[in-house]
Amino acid sequence: MENIALTYRRYGEPDVVLEAETAVPAARLAGHLRVRMLFSPVNASDLIPITGAYRHRTTLPAVAGYEGIGVVTDAPGDYAHLLGRRVLPLRGQGTWQRVVDCPAEYAIPVPEEMDSLRAARAYINPLAAQMMLTRYSPRGKTVLLTAAGSDCAILLGQWALNAGAQAVYGVHRSPIHADRLAAMGIIPIAQDDVSAVCEAAARAEVTYDATGGGLAETILSLMPEQGIFVCYGLLSGQTFRQRQALPRVEWFHIRNYLEVLDATAWQAQFTAIWPKLRASRYSDATLFPLAEWRAALGAYREAGRLSKPMLSMED
């Protein structure tokens, strides 16, 4: 089958520089699986490299997309048991295309009971949440989340409670998130409710921050000195200054941890993720045909959305 891939040959705004390119796939590399993609989500981590933010580690031309799910159509002999199975074809080619080749030892088999639309999002946010909670334990502590309506934050909140957090507060921008957070056991706080934000910050022993900017500075100025402030994103587009030595600030970049995982440790991470993800509340998905990828990007940027835009690779 011909492959259609969303490719960028220069850096810039994704809507401008991405192009749907059609080609016959090259021969499968030795030790790789060939995967017919089903679904690929749209995440901030997919879009940021297209702008050139990580050009020092991006080789052009490149296919966009980091995660997704597909069916194995060709495999080396040692992995013939995966033929016809659903996998996450990770740590290989970009996933915003119909055919992906990936290193066989790093492909993640998907359990039969996992829904494909949920499994397609088992990498970026679940793995980041799991690693942060392991490294910066919430057990017995009061936790504060920013960007609390995001997929990563809702997993952080639920899994922190399961790990023994005393309480979890979630700062959200859109009121549409409040009821959903409360249903998960996360105490919702509107970002424009300055008094409530300050009160929660003063209690927070662990903060997981995805926003940066002025909100991060406010929280840092009020947290207990023995607290830990974990920054894992800058959704505001602004960095922040720490005006005092404490609380401790930690920067979490998932790529730094992936580089040291061998194939066995990599597979073990997902063995732990599957039961937690299956038991968690997660955003719904809204499907967009691959040809309507610009509409999917537009949906991703909508304020207060409750659904994850997802590219459907099948006709």
Side-chain angles (χ1 to χ4, degrees), residues 1-6 35-41 68-73 84-86 95-100 116-117 120 287-293 310-315:
M1 64 178 289
E2 281 192 326
N3 187 27
I4 300 175
L6 295 183
V35 179
R36 174 177 55 82
M37 295 301 292
L38 300 173
F39 307 110
S40 296
I69 188 172
V71 175
V72 178
T73 60
R85 286 281 308 276
R86 296 177 303 159
T95 56
W96 288 8
Q97 56 182 328
R98 286 186 168 171
V99 178
V100 168
S116 288
L117 293 179
L287 294 178
F288 293 83
L290 182 58
E292 297 178 15
W293 61 269
M310 186 90 67
L311 296 173
S312 176
M313 301 300 175
E314 297 187 306
D315 292 326

